[in-house]
Amino acid sequence: MAKKVLGVQNSDGRVATTEGIAELQHQESLIKTGALQNAIFNSANFSSIATDENGVVQLFNVGAERMLGYLAVEVVNKITPVDISDPQELITRSIALGLEFATAIAPGFEALVFKASRGIEDIYELTYIRKDNSRFPAMLSVTALRNDQEGIIGYLLIGTDNTARKQAEDKLRWAEESFRLMVESVTDYAIVMLDPEGCVVSWNSSAERIQGYRAEDIVGQHFSRFYLAEDVVNGKAQSDMEKVRANGRFEDEGWRVRKDGSSFWANVIYTAIRDQFGNLRGFAKLTRDQTENRQVESALIDAKSAAEKANRAKSDFLSSMSHELRSPLNAILGFAQLMESDSPSPTPSQAANIKQILQGGWYLLDLIDEILDLAVIESGRLALSLESVSISEVMIECQAMIEPQAQKRGIRMTFPQRSFDNFVKVDRTRFKQILINLLSNAIKYNRTDGTVVVACATIAPERIRISVTDTGVGLSAEKQAQMFQSFNRLGQEAGAEEGTGIGLVVTKRLVELMGGEIGVESTIGVGSVFWIELTAAASPQSVTGITESTPVVQVHVHNDVPLRTLLYVEDNQANLSWSSS
């Protein structure tokens, strides 16, 4: 029978037969397989070591040369893979496998190929030793090579350098260990990691101490176990979790439950944990036992309330006693004044005694007035009538009252120019009391032939500063810190000047009640500057000419009732404006 001829021509023009094509394909396959094998065995990316059935190296590729530092001619038919591996690891592996061996080489090699010789593909970690004795971790795959009768003729060991992976693992392990140690070192907070469903994943030792559960008892339990039963029923636990999901963070304070059923006041912070794609991976829950702090705060509140109650009682007592002392003191001063002006005139000795009575009486009256002011202020019963007040007008009144006192001591006073006619929002009477007190102190504690300078300045659109500068001995930083303490005269108790140590305290309280500030700047041997800052105000409408513009109120009276004139005295500008309208 004739051969079937295909219509395919070779390069030389001959027609190829079916057998010829098959042979050609077989040759091409062999060439391709050979090329692949050559590429594999000459790859520099991994080591390929083939041994005979006894473990003696028969093939050592380029990758093995690069990885281990040997040339193929140095190892082929000369060594086994045991010679380039950590022997202790192989012996340990052999013992674990229960292998018995008679030679130094066999046991280690048997450990390498134990599973492969039984048809089990094995991949494990191994420490390779380079020619220069340096070591590195390797991942090793061992395969048994068999002939057509399934007999083992050798083994193929394919290895890769595992250094980078081991370093990454070590770094991750170090980071995890560091994080664990950091979490464990936090003693104030119970740190709990929750999965996306709110179940406990991890639990630090502080959580065990604060909430009473051991980690093995609580891992896998839902976080709502830590809430009061009623909070679980009314949905608070679920509501808190929804807030964390929505906002990423939620902080709460409330009662929580320990394992033994006791409750404690806790500060709890929830934080949602998400990956780089925004997917929820779980939650971090930090709990701090605030029971003791809450008890301390409650005790402080109770103590503060008791102190305020005692302070109010003290203020009421001082106010009552001041009134009780004022009446007999006025009588003493009145009779002393009568005796001073009596006829015939008192003898010189009597006049001196009367002068002592009057001097002590007036001092005591001043003290009572200041104590009464302080008591009223501290009791919160001081009524202020804030209005727009001319600084210039009040300064003129203060100057008229204080200059005679300054002239007696030879002290020159300088007041602001009357062109500075700004207004401040204050209670006029108390504003005048503040200025008189600062001016009196500037004179009282000044040196002979000293000066007192009063200045006003606008330091902000709605703020005016009034300062009183003296040329006294000055104050140390320590004394400045004690300046506004009640009954503290800063070492002047034994001095010639009388005082109570209350005036500046009252002044400070009054300034602050009117929305202002007070301060002092002082230099030893130079003098002191006391300043107050008050809120600026607009100029009030003028009330001059009221008689001409205001109609007279007609009062209808009976014919037989005589007419009377009413004298109305008012020092409050706002009330004066109201009464004239």
Side-chain angles (χ1 to χ4, degrees):
M1 183 176 179
K3 294 181 179 180
K4 185 176 180 181
V5 179
L6 296 178
V8 179
Q9 290 184 340
N10 293 329
S11 59
D12 57 2
R14 293 180 297 172
V15 178
T17 63
T18 302
E19 291 80 356
I21 292 175
E23 179 64 23
L24 181 62
Q25 290 175 341
H26 178 66
Q27 291 177 359
E28 289 176 349
S29 177
L30 289 175
I31 294 171
K32 186 176 182 180
T33 300
L36 289 172
Q37 291 174 344
N38 185 63
I40 291 172
F41 285 112
N42 288 287
S43 173
N45 296 321
F46 54 87
S47 69
S48 294
I49 303 173
T51 73
D52 60 18
E53 68 275 17
N54 296 316
V56 179
V57 175
Q58 301 297 310
L59 186 146
F60 200 80
N61 81 331
V62 174
E65 290 181 333
R66 180 183 64 80
M67 194 177 293
L68 293 162
Y70 293 94
L71 295 176
V73 296
E74 296 177 292
V75 297
V76 172
N77 290 320
K78 295 179 181 178
I79 66 172
T80 70
V82 176
D83 299 311
I84 55 174
S85 305
D86 186 327
Q88 189 57 48
E89 289 181 355
L90 298 178
I91 292 172
T92 302
R93 182 180 289 270
S94 297
I95 295 172
L97 292 171
L99 298 176
E100 296 181 1
F101 44 88
T103 66
I105 296 177
F109 186 68
E110 285 182 4
L112 281 176
V113 301
F114 178 78
K115 291 185 178 180
S117 64
R118 287 156 178 75
I120 303 172
E121 295 293 335
D122 191 17
I123 299 176
Y124 52 88
E125 294 184 26
L126 182 72
T127 300
Y128 266 163
I129 302 175
R130 297 186 181 92
K131 183 179 179 180
D132 61 5
N133 287 323
S134 61
R135 295 168 176 247
F136 66 95
M139 290 293 292
L140 194 64
S141 171
V142 182
T143 305
L145 302 175
R146 300 176 185 273
N147 57 20
D148 293 340
Q149 289 75 38
E150 292 300 317
I152 295 177
I153 61 173
Y155 297 92
L156 177 63
L157 288 70
I158 299 177
T160 56
D161 189 339
N162 201 32
T163 302
R165 179 171 171 269
K166 289 290 290 184
Q167 288 175 344
E169 288 179 350
D170 291 342
K171 186 175 181 180
L172 178 61
R173 189 179 302 108
W174 179 86
E176 290 176 346
E177 180 66 13
S178 298
F179 179 74
R180 186 189 66 79
L181 292 173
M182 180 186 69
V183 169
E184 289 298 326
S185 68
V186 177
T187 58
D188 292 341
Y189 281 94
I191 301 178
V192 183
M193 305 303 294
L194 308 175
D195 65 16
E197 303 304 319
C199 295
V200 177
V201 176
S202 65
W203 181 269
N204 75 336
S205 58
S206 292
E208 181 175 334
R209 175 179 55 81
I210 291 172
Q211 298 188 261
Y213 293 93
R214 294 181 302 172
E216 55 267 30
D217 297 332
I218 199 63
V219 170
Q221 300 293 322
H222 197 263
F223 80 100
S224 59
R225 168 173 289 205
F226 313 127
Y227 280 71
L228 297 176
E230 55 265 34
D231 286 341
V232 177
V233 172
N234 64 27
K236 175 172 171 52
Q238 187 61 33
S239 173
D240 289 353
M241 183 59 68
E242 293 304 321
K243 290 175 183 177
V244 186
R245 291 179 188 274
N247 303 315
R249 187 180 184 278
F250 175 67
E251 184 170 355
D252 182 40
E253 283 200 1
W255 293 105
R256 294 295 187 271
V257 181
R258 298 187 180 93
K259 182 181 179 181
D260 61 8
S262 62
S263 59
F264 65 101
W265 187 262
N267 171 259
V268 186
I269 302 173
Y270 296 91
T271 303
I273 301 173
R274 300 182 183 276
D275 60 21
Q276 67 265 34
F277 304 108
N279 300 316
L280 182 66
R281 301 297 298 273
F283 305 92
K285 175 177 172 288
L286 280 70
T287 303
R288 187 175 189 180
D289 187 349
Q290 294 284 72
T291 306
E292 185 176 347
N293 290 345
R294 183 175 172 84
Q295 292 171 344
V296 170
E297 288 176 2
S298 178
L300 287 175
I301 291 172
D302 292 343
K304 182 180 178 183
S305 177
E308 289 175 348
K309 185 177 180 180
N311 191 51
R312 286 192 297 271
K314 177 206 70 175
S315 298
D316 291 341
F317 171 76
L318 289 175
S319 177
S320 174
M321 287 302 299
S322 298
H323 283 294
E324 293 297 325
L325 290 172
R326 185 189 294 269
S327 297
L329 184 58
N330 284 333
I332 293 172
L333 288 171
F335 280 110
Q337 288 174 319
L338 287 175
M339 291 170 64
E340 185 181 37
S341 59
D342 201 3
S343 182
S345 298
T347 65
S349 175
Q350 292 173 332
N353 292 334
I354 293 171
K355 183 179 179 181
Q356 289 293 326
I357 294 173
L358 288 172
Q359 188 175 358
W362 288 119
Y363 171 71
L364 188 57
L365 186 61
D366 287 340
L367 176 60
I368 291 171
D369 287 339
E370 288 183 345
I371 291 176
L372 185 60
D373 275 343
L374 185 60
V376 171
I377 291 171
E378 290 188 343
S379 67
R381 294 197 300 266
L382 180 67
L384 294 175
S385 177
L386 301 182
E387 58 180 319
S388 181
V389 174
S390 168
I391 296 176
S392 178
E393 289 181 5
V394 175
M395 284 289 182
I396 292 172
E397 295 174 14
C398 292
Q399 183 176 2
M401 293 177 63
I402 209 73
E403 274 194 333
Q405 181 183 344
Q407 289 171 357
K408 287 182 180 179
R409 297 171 177 258
I411 294 173
R412 184 168 55 87
M413 302 196 70
T414 303
F415 284 83
Q417 296 294 324
R418 294 189 181 182
S419 58
F420 187 87
D421 195 15
N422 289 47
F423 293 79
V424 286
K425 190 173 183 179
V426 293
D427 180 296
R428 182 186 181 92
T429 301
R430 296 300 182 178
F431 177 44
K432 186 174 178 181
Q433 179 182 350
I434 290 167
L435 292 179
I436 290 295
N437 192 16
L438 294 179
L439 291 168
S440 296
N441 283 348
I443 294 171
K444 188 187 300 184
Y445 300 109
N446 212 324
R447 59 179 171 82
T448 305
D449 299 327
T451 60
V452 174
V453 178
V454 184
C456 299
T458 301
I459 61 172
E462 296 183 357
R463 210 69 171 169
I464 291 178
R465 172 177 285 199
I466 301 171
S467 60
V468 178
T469 305
D470 64 54
T471 54
V473 296
L475 299 166
S476 66
E478 182 181 359
K479 288 184 177 180
Q480 290 180 50
Q482 303 171 17
M483 178 62 63
F484 301 104
Q485 295 177 358
S486 299
F487 304 102
N488 188 342
R489 294 197 61 206
L490 306 179
Q492 296 293 326
E493 293 83 358
E497 298 295 337
E498 294 179 342
T500 62
I502 301 176
L504 279 177
V505 178
V506 172
T507 299
K508 183 176 187 294
R509 304 285 175 83
L510 289 174
V511 170
E512 290 173 347
L513 285 173
M514 292 189 291
E517 294 179 63
I518 186 170
V520 60
E521 299 165 7
S522 186
T523 304
I524 298 293
V526 176
S528 303
V529 180
F530 284 83
W531 55 264
I532 59 172
E533 289 182 7
L534 298 168
T535 303
S539 171
Q541 295 180 352
S542 174
V543 294
T544 57
I546 290 177
T547 304
E548 299 176 0
S549 59
T550 305
V552 177
V553 179
Q554 299 296 327
V555 181
H556 298 284
V557 296
H558 296 289
N559 294 332
D560 57 345
V561 177
L563 293 177
R564 295 288 187 270
T565 301
L566 174 65
L567 174 63
Y568 175 70
V569 179
E570 177 60 71
D571 67 347
N572 187 302
Q573 193 74 21
N575 292 343
L576 184 61
S577 301
W578 174 83
S579 64
S580 63
S581 60

